[in-house]
Amino acid sequence: MKKQLIIVVDVSGLDDISNLLNKHGVEEFTRFEQCSGQGYRTGPRTNDHIWPGYNVMVIAVVEEQLVSEIFAALRTYREENKNMGVYAYVTPVEQSL
């Protein structure tokens, strides 16, 4: 069964996340640029003069057996970059084209 992996990361970590996914065999993903939001680690991120910076959302569909190793790598990355917002979610993929 396939799973949808949603990763939200500060734009400065985008290359690292792309490399992490590639290292685990994930070569296809969709990226949404300049996402605004608010996290408990980073506070508001709206890319304006009051709350500078923005996040990027990366969505990939992966085989279920890859999720735990990708999440382990993401946890390690998050711990090594404590001041950067790194969030990840997994949802089931019921159908895809």
Side-chain angles (χ1 to χ4, degrees), residues 21-68:
L21 291 173
N22 286 329
K23 181 179 175 183
H24 289 89
V26 180
E27 297 177 354
E28 299 173 341
F29 57 83
T30 299
R31 183 174 67 210
F32 296 89
E33 301 273 346
Q34 296 195 16
C35 297
S36 296
Q38 180 171 320
Y40 73 91
R41 288 179 179 228
T42 59
R45 311 269 306 176
T46 57
N47 202 29
D48 60 21
H49 66 284
I50 298 171
W51 303 109
Y54 63 91
N55 296 318
V56 176
M57 184 185 329
V58 178
I59 298 177
V61 175
V62 301
E63 295 295 334
E64 186 171 13
Q65 62 267 22
L66 282 178
V67 171
S68 61

Side-chain angles (χ1 to χ4, degrees), residues 49-97:
H49 66 284
I50 298 171
W51 303 109
Y54 63 91
N55 296 318
V56 176
M57 184 185 329
V58 178
I59 298 177
V61 175
V62 301
E63 295 295 334
E64 186 171 13
Q65 62 267 22
L66 282 178
V67 171
S68 61
E69 69 182 64
I70 292 171
F71 253 64
L74 287 168
R75 278 189 194 95
T76 299
Y77 182 77
R78 184 178 185 175
E79 285 303 311
E80 292 171 352
N81 297 276
K82 291 184 188 258
N83 293 328
M84 180 188 306
V86 180
Y87 304 93
Y89 314 91
V90 176
T91 60
V93 174
E94 294 182 18
Q95 295 182 21
S96 64
L97 294 174

